[in-house]
Amino acid sequence: MASEYETVVGIEVHAELLTESKVFCGCPTRFGAAPNTQTCPICLGMPGVLPVLNKRALEFTIRTALALNCQVAEFSKFDRKNYFYPDLPKNYQISQYDLPIGRNGYLDIDVDGEQKRIRIRRVHLEEETGKSLHAGEDIIAATHSLVDFNRAGIPLMEIVSEADMRSADEARAYLNKLRSVLLAIGVSDCKMEEGSMRCEANVSVRPVGASEFGTQTELKNIASFRAVHRAIEFEAARQIALLKSGEHVTRETRHWDDERGETVRMRGKEEAHDYRYFPEPDLVPLEIGREWVESIRESMPELPDARRGRYVRELGIPEYDAGLIADSPAMTRFFEEAVGLGGDAREIAKWMLGELSAALNASGGDFESCPVRPSHLVETLSLIKTGRISGKIAKSVLEDIFGTGRSPEEIVRERGLVQISDEAQLVAVVDKVIAANPGPVSDFRGGKEKALTFLVGQVMKETRGRANPEATNRILRERLAEGTGR
Amino acid sequence: MRLCDMTMHALHDLLENGEVSSEEITRSVLERIEETEGMIQSFLNLAPEEEALARARQADRMIRDARRQGSAISPVAGIPIAIKDNMCTRGIPTTCGSAILSEFVPPYDATVVKRLVDGGAVMIGKTNMDEFAMGSSTENSRFHPTRNPWDPSRVPGGSSGGSAAAVAAGEAVAALGSDTGGSVRQPASFCSVVGLKPTYGRVSRYGLVAFASSLDQIGPLTRDVRDCAMVMNVIAGPDPMDSTCVSEPAPDYTGFLDRGVRGLRIGLPREYFGPGMDPEVRSLVEGAVRALEGLGAEVIDVTLPHSEYALATYYLVAPAEASSNLARYDGIRYGLRARGSQDVVSLMKRTRSEGFGPEVKRRIMLGTYALSSGYYDAYYLKALKVRTLLRQDLANAFERCDCVVSPTSPTVPFKLGERVEDPLAMYLSDIYTITANLTGAPAVSVPCGFSSGLPCGIHFVGRLFEEGTLIRIAHTLEGALGIADMRPSVAGRRDA
């Protein structure tokens, strides 16, 4: 099947901007406040009110356009998008139509070790709508509906890609990369669970080698990156099955039902809106000064790709690991702080991506809230380096910090974890183990190298993990060789 | 002359000298309202007498304090003023003459209202208007029509007819109107008062319930030109709440009053003075122009070649914006909500069907059509292009002259009901005034005489932000004609 058809995907992302106040009024934008407590006549669309643009929202949009390698418009304007909806206070949305802030950009993604460039068609700024709450099972069965306008007027950025993705994997990689860029430049918190980042996918399929696109469907209500992947896979398979059975794909908007794992028709193109766009007369057109754009460009933080390159080049971190850290602002902050404290960068990366990530995954936390601080990790690593504890003990120390927040030094001292490197002490234990395990000993002597691992394990068991592994290994080999005369 | 019939500047002088109190002025105005409002019906909402008097007494304290400290008082301090009912007033209903907003009480003041109130004006009431400012006769009000104080069988003009009638009848000393196609100037002309539409962006629109955002502008309706300049001094200037409002501060408009017209050039647009103009109106306007010529102005012929398209352009742009601006009246958040709906779509449909009157519905449909995909280029976009041509016409004319002149309205006030069934005839009332809105230019209507006892106004359009020049011309003409003191006799009638 995959050899006959290819999937074509374009993605539209909406991201709420992290401004202190709304885009056209001074109301706060805090998430989770009691309904309708963050509103004023302007964001409620009361008769007579006028919008005044929040310059910070414009700056954030320009910053995004620059980060996505877009051309930033010198002249732009806002337009009205007219449609009736109970949670849209004015029954039009102030948006941008023909002159978006950014256009013709790109974002490079990695899929299976290969780099691919996804073109960005446009980046524009608009206002967020309110939120409807239906009292009942669903919108149809609801006895009544309530509207919360706290969200209305929060600055919202729309980022539209070209239909350059060819699989669900690429779509997910694109979203991950886009998210890491938006997080790095600090314009959005990109929390899909709070709705501050949302995405829609336009999916079509075509015979491999065809130059024309097939009929696309638009997938809405996708609530996670995992759901994006599933939705695209489902939809592509659905479309291919249709084509194979001689039917055709209808241009329509489909809803992703995550529980049932399928897409469901919402509306067809014939029911599509006529938004009756026209220039917003209540806002003056935007003249975006080049000097301002350049000063924004200069103030841009290091983007994930550049950061990854630097980690690989300057710190010797493996490419893949460097990418994982660079794409996450929390991991980047943790890593940079640890390296800054004088730790070995490669060791730090290894432990972050190994032990710490595993512990965080299990506890559901992230590096921002990790009880093990960069200083803890660096201290632990230096205990290993100076031979005071083994790597194995270090794991247990980190586990302890994770639960208690105590310092590594304290834990090692109190729990008596200091490594045994003393030759005489180790020889005594080794001899005891050799005497107690004649089977494995003769196996080893018979050439079974593996048996050594078992014997090392026994020494560790005897010392409760405190035996210096290198020294143990060496002494074991010495004593065993003595016995055979090898 | 009773206090209620005096000009604002005369009252201001009396207040400043302590010869009269705001309470006395306000009482006089309230008495006049008592006498005439039953017939004129200028207001939709009158301040309760005690409230108005309390505001007057507060203004008197403010004036006394200022006098004691030797500081100047605002030109509007202690002056009873009326506000068109499409400007938001905190805690006071603002209906726009529409059933759909009949219950609406704004939680905030429009910037102009705030400036007047801060200046100590005594807000006497909210005046009647054509629904959402759509109309030229104030007959489209959803509540009742207003009558012309000069002849109660006739209309006061529109859509600021309530404000113009109130000022003419002595029910308010000055008033604010809004002007989208001539809605301050045409009723000023019909009621023989002064009406100014400032340059777009000169006066904040914040709190003015939008009809057509790119055309709307708030303007004063006053008894003479000095009053007009004084009100402008209070309401004009930058406002951070309105980004279309220019950031340059407004000049002192009273400084232009006495500069005369010597050296000014008045342009007579060929297209306006062709055949078809009412002969009486024509002779009054020409007489006024001759008077200005006699005082040193130079009169030249100019051309505005795209004038014939102005009305059509206006009736695409204004309804298009209106269709969008009026979309928010849906019964969800405030105002009227139709009963008996089971779902949100029918709730919105019913509310809008019941809440809007025929003229408003007509324009919403026109505008929706003009903006719809497939027609946008042919109508709305084309209208924007013509708008640019009209702007160029005026710019070309202003290379040769300082203002262009015309009658304010092609006719004197018509009878109530005469044009109700003929919207196109009604639309023609605005033929001379709409170009100023489409181009953003300032324009003023000044009384220039009477035809068979009915008022006639002359209309001057000036360069952008040169309201001062218009005030110069209008004030000079007013002095020459000597009719600014005339008041309609209805004003004296008791329960007429």
Side-chain angles (χ1 to χ4, degrees):
Chain A
M1 203 164 79
S3 59
E4 294 166 56
Y5 287 94
E6 86 175 336
T7 308
V8 175
V9 183
I11 302 254
E12 290 174 27
V13 167
H14 280 96
E16 285 184 357
L17 295 178
L18 268 179
T19 51
E20 295 282 317
S21 57
K22 292 186 179 181
V23 62
F24 298 123
C25 67
C27 285
T29 54
R30 204 161 43 83
F31 178 80
N36 295 308
T37 54
Q38 296 185 157
T39 60
C40 72
I42 297 169
C43 57
L44 289 173
M46 290 280 211
V49 297
L50 297 171
V52 175
L53 178 64
N54 178 342
K55 197 175 172 192
R56 192 92 174 132
L58 178 58
E59 185 195 321
F60 278 9
T61 311
I62 294 172
R63 212 190 275 186
T64 306
L66 290 173
L68 299 177
N69 309 293
C70 289
Q71 295 158 10
V72 177
E74 290 187 34
F75 180 83
S76 185
K77 67 178 170 69
F78 287 95
D79 300 276
R80 287 193 188 171
K81 181 179 180 179
N82 293 281
Y83 64 99
F84 282 85
Y85 208 78
D87 65 18
L88 186 61
K90 302 181 288 291
N91 284 325
Y92 60 79
Q93 182 187 26
I94 302 177
S95 182
Q96 296 195 290
Y97 180 56
D98 55 344
L99 298 174
I101 304 290
R103 65 196 333 167
N104 300 333
Y106 62 84
L107 188 63
D108 290 332
I109 60 169
D110 296 287
V111 182
D112 299 331
E114 282 191 35
Q115 203 175 61
K116 181 167 179 181
R117 181 157 288 187
I118 307 299
R119 289 169 301 157
I120 307 285
R121 185 183 302 167
R122 60 186 283 151
V123 177
H124 78 241
L125 178 60
E126 60 190 30
E127 58 180 339
E128 180 71 281
T129 64
K131 217 171 178 177
S132 301
L133 306 145
H134 306 290
E137 275 279 292
D138 55 40
I139 190 163
I140 302 296
T143 55
H144 59 279
S145 298
L146 302 161
V147 196
D148 177 6
F149 290 106
N150 281 351
R151 201 180 71 174
I154 288 179
L156 189 63
M157 204 164 50
E158 185 172 327
I159 301 162
V160 184
S161 83
E162 296 291 348
D164 284 351
M165 285 153 272
R166 294 290 172 268
S167 68
D169 286 347
E170 289 185 11
R172 187 165 53 189
Y174 168 78
L175 285 168
N176 271 317
K177 191 52 162 295
L178 182 61
R179 184 171 177 273
S180 72
V181 169
L182 298 183
L183 288 172
I185 59 176
V187 298
S188 177
D189 62 16
C190 297
K191 290 182 179 165
M192 287 195 87
E193 67 280 12
E194 290 182 6
S196 66
M197 183 175 181
R198 307 189 288 273
C199 66
E200 293 165 22
N202 294 315
V203 178
S204 64
V205 296
R206 64 178 173 188
V208 169
S211 55
E212 300 273 304
F213 286 149
T215 306
Q216 67 171 41
T217 59
E218 191 184 6
L219 309 185
K220 285 189 185 283
N221 305 326
I222 310 176
S224 68
F225 287 180
R226 183 172 164 268
V228 173
H229 194 266
R230 292 176 69 206
I232 292 169
E233 296 242 289
F234 176 89
E235 183 59 18
R238 189 189 69 88
Q239 292 185 11
I240 290 166
L242 274 177
L243 296 179
K244 281 193 162 176
S245 63
E247 293 175 64
H248 62 271
V249 176
T250 317
R251 176 143 194 192
E252 62 192 7
T253 300
R254 297 179 71 86
H255 159 86
W256 169 247
D257 186 327
D258 203 43
E259 262 173 49
R260 286 159 62 189
E262 59 186 40
T263 62
V264 188
R265 178 190 160 89
M266 273 171 82
R267 60 172 178 263
K269 190 178 187 280
E270 67 278 9
E271 299 154 49
H273 274 109
D274 178 356
Y275 289 116
R276 304 190 315 280
Y277 279 102
F278 75 102
E280 165 59 270
D282 287 332
L283 286 166
V284 285
L286 297 170
E287 306 257 3
I288 302 173
R290 292 298 97 180
E291 266 177 45
W292 190 39
V293 174
E294 287 316 307
S295 76
I296 295 171
R297 196 194 298 277
E298 276 162 29
S299 73
M300 294 269 274
E302 187 179 40
L303 295 180
D305 278 353
R307 199 147 64 207
R308 177 179 61 178
R310 181 165 61 85
Y311 290 171
V312 172
R313 216 170 42 248
E314 294 175 12
L315 302 175
I317 311 292
E319 179 95 21
Y320 180 78
D321 293 1
L324 285 179
I325 296 171
D327 280 351
S328 154
M331 286 176 89
T332 296
R333 270 191 295 276
F334 191 102
F335 178 73
E336 302 259 348
E337 192 180 331
V339 173
L341 289 170
D344 178 298
R346 267 177 299 190
E347 285 295 307
I348 291 166
K350 199 178 93 193
W351 284 82
M352 278 177 68
L353 296 170
E355 292 308 303
L356 288 184
S357 289
L360 288 169
N361 279 341
S363 71
D366 63 14
F367 274 89
E368 209 66 64
S369 58
C370 185
V372 179
R373 299 314 309 150
S375 56
H376 291 146
L377 179 61
V378 172
E379 214 181 299
T380 308
L381 293 179
S382 97
L383 289 174
I384 300 175
K385 202 171 177 189
T386 55
R388 291 194 63 209
I389 60 172
S390 65
K392 191 165 175 173
I393 293 287
K395 288 181 188 179
S396 135
V397 170
L398 287 175
E399 221 169 87
D400 197 327
I401 304 172
F402 209 87
T404 64
R406 295 195 300 172
S407 82
E409 189 67 47
E410 199 182 334
I411 294 165
V412 168
R413 203 176 51 241
E414 282 184 18
R415 285 176 45 197
L417 296 177
V418 178
Q419 190 164 249
I420 303 168
S421 301
D422 177 73
E423 194 81 12
Q425 220 177 329
L426 284 176
V427 167
V429 180
V430 165
D431 285 346
K432 192 174 159 199
V433 166
I434 288 173
N437 295 284
V441 167
S442 71
D443 282 352
F444 179 79
R445 285 177 176 154
K448 279 192 185 164
E449 190 68 13
K450 254 192 177 173
L452 187 72
T453 315
F454 173 80
L455 293 170
V456 171
Q458 292 305 303
V459 175
M460 288 298 170
K461 200 174 165 191
E462 279 294 315
T463 57
R464 297 196 327 276
R466 291 159 60 218
N468 180 325
E470 277 170 44
T472 304
N473 233 305
R474 178 175 51 76
I475 294 168
L476 252 175
R477 283 184 188 279
E478 281 169 12
R479 303 300 280 182
L480 288 167
E482 276 167 24
T484 54
R486 269 209 298 202
Chain B
M1 193 179 258
R2 287 161 64 173
L3 288 173
C4 65
D5 285 321
M6 294 173 72
T7 58
M8 188 172 84
H9 60 86
L11 293 167
H12 177 76
D13 291 347
L14 294 174
L15 285 165
E16 215 166 28
N17 298 331
E19 291 169 51
V20 72
S21 68
S22 173
E23 188 173 351
E24 288 169 286
I25 298 168
T26 305
R27 276 191 198 285
S28 173
V29 165
L30 292 173
E31 274 166 27
R32 174 61 58 78
I33 289 171
E34 185 69 29
E35 292 162 15
T36 55
E37 182 60 7
M39 175 197 294
I40 306 294
Q41 297 198 283
S42 304
F43 290 95
L44 287 175
N45 189 303
L46 269 166
E49 187 170 314
E50 263 323 299
E51 215 173 285
L53 290 173
R55 283 184 204 143
R57 284 189 287 269
Q58 201 186 336
D60 282 328
R61 280 193 293 278
M62 188 172 141
I63 294 166
R64 259 199 313 277
D65 289 349
R67 215 174 25 243
R68 204 170 322 138
Q69 291 161 11
S71 52
I73 62 162
S74 163
V76 296
I79 304 289
I81 277 176
I83 307 283
K84 187 178 182 177
D85 206 30
N86 60 353
M87 291 169 223
C88 287
T89 40
R90 181 202 286 265
I92 299 167
T94 299
T95 70
C96 287
S98 181
I100 213 159
L101 282 177
S102 54
E103 306 286 315
F104 178 63
V105 180
Y108 73 104
D109 274 331
T111 297
V112 288
V113 170
K114 189 173 185 311
R115 288 183 182 171
L116 289 172
V117 169
D118 289 351
V122 177
M123 234 261 285
I124 209 84
K126 304 293 294 288
T127 57
N128 198 16
M129 59 185 285
D130 286 302
E131 185 177 0
F132 283 103
M134 297 177 190
S136 307
S137 69
T138 314
E139 291 166 292
N140 288 336
S141 166
R142 208 50 192 280
F143 303 101
H144 52 71
T146 294
R147 290 168 181 272
N148 192 317
W150 295 89
D151 177 353
S153 72
R154 295 182 185 263
V155 303
S159 64
S160 310
S163 286
V167 172
E171 296 183 332
V173 176
L176 292 186
S178 70
D179 190 316
T180 306
S183 283
V184 160
R185 294 160 285 155
Q186 185 255 20
S189 170
F190 278 16
C191 293
S192 202
V193 296
V194 175
L196 173 74
K197 182 200 86 79
T199 312
Y200 185 80
R202 185 50 108 186
V203 174
S204 168
R205 291 183 296 119
Y206 186 74
L208 169 68
V209 180
F211 160 13
S213 310
S214 76
L215 305 167
D216 296 342
Q217 187 63 185
I218 291 168
L221 285 142
T222 56
R223 293 189 178 142
D224 69 5
V225 179
R226 184 174 295 273
D227 284 6
C228 173
M230 286 164 71
V231 174
M232 279 295 286
N233 278 357
V234 176
I235 64 170
D239 178 12
M241 302 299 280
D242 178 357
S243 59
T244 65
C245 203
V246 294
S247 51
E248 287 79 38
D252 173 8
Y253 293 103
T254 59
F256 293 92
L257 287 163
D258 300 315
R259 293 195 195 170
V261 292
R262 191 160 299 282
L264 287 184
R265 289 176 157 200
I266 294 169
L268 237 57
R270 189 182 305 153
E271 293 77 9
Y272 289 172
F273 286 85
M277 190 186 285
D278 180 298
E280 284 269 6
V281 168
R282 181 184 200 120
S283 82
L284 287 168
V285 169
E286 286 178 347
V289 171
R290 270 196 305 277
L292 286 170
E293 210 168 9
L295 290 164
E298 189 185 340
V299 178
I300 61 166
D301 286 326
V302 294
T303 177
L304 301 172
H306 297 93
S307 292
E308 62 173 306
Y309 306 111
L311 200 66
T313 303
Y314 176 83
Y315 279 99
L316 286 168
V317 173
E321 293 184 12
S323 72
S324 173
N325 283 330
L326 271 55
R328 71 190 65 190
Y329 308 109
D330 58 6
I332 303 290
R333 293 168 305 280
Y334 46 75
L336 181 80
R337 173 178 291 180
R339 301 187 154 274
S341 298
Q342 291 301 311
D343 62 87
V344 70
V345 174
S346 81
L347 169 75
M348 287 180 173
K349 280 186 180 171
R350 279 178 193 227
T351 300
R352 292 169 67 80
S353 297
E354 291 171 23
F356 289 135
E359 181 60 28
V360 173
K361 285 177 185 162
R362 187 153 42 231
R363 297 205 198 187
I364 289 174
M365 286 192 284
L366 272 172
T368 304
Y369 184 80
L371 288 177
S372 57
S373 64
Y375 298 100
Y376 182 90
D377 288 3
Y379 295 112
Y380 185 75
L381 196 63
K382 181 80 91 188
L384 292 189
K385 289 177 181 170
V386 179
R387 201 173 170 177
T388 304
L389 294 176
L390 288 165
R391 237 177 240 138
Q392 279 167 6
D393 276 3
L394 262 190
N396 292 340
F398 286 140
E399 284 183 9
R400 303 184 49 228
C401 64
D402 299 291
C403 73
V404 297
V405 68
S406 70
T408 307
S409 164
T411 65
V412 293
F414 46 88
K415 297 252 184 197
L416 267 89
E418 195 181 311
R419 297 187 183 175
V420 168
E421 298 302 321
D422 188 354
L424 290 181
M426 191 77 95
Y427 294 171
L428 283 171
S429 306
D430 298 332
I431 186 116
Y432 296 121
T433 50
I434 51 173
T435 299
N437 301 84
L438 287 167
T439 60
V444 68
S445 175
V446 195
C448 71
F450 293 83
S451 164
S452 315
L454 295 171
C456 179
I458 186 169
H459 184 244
F460 301 96
V461 180
R463 292 190 191 95
L464 295 178
F465 299 104
E466 292 191 9
E467 290 85 1
T469 305
L470 297 179
I471 284 170
R472 265 174 86 177
I473 297 165
H475 188 244
T476 308
L477 178 65
E478 185 179 67
L481 297 179
I483 55 171
D485 287 345
M486 290 184 68
R487 300 285 179 267
S489 58
V490 67
R493 277 191 232 168
R494 193 171 286 270
D495 194 33

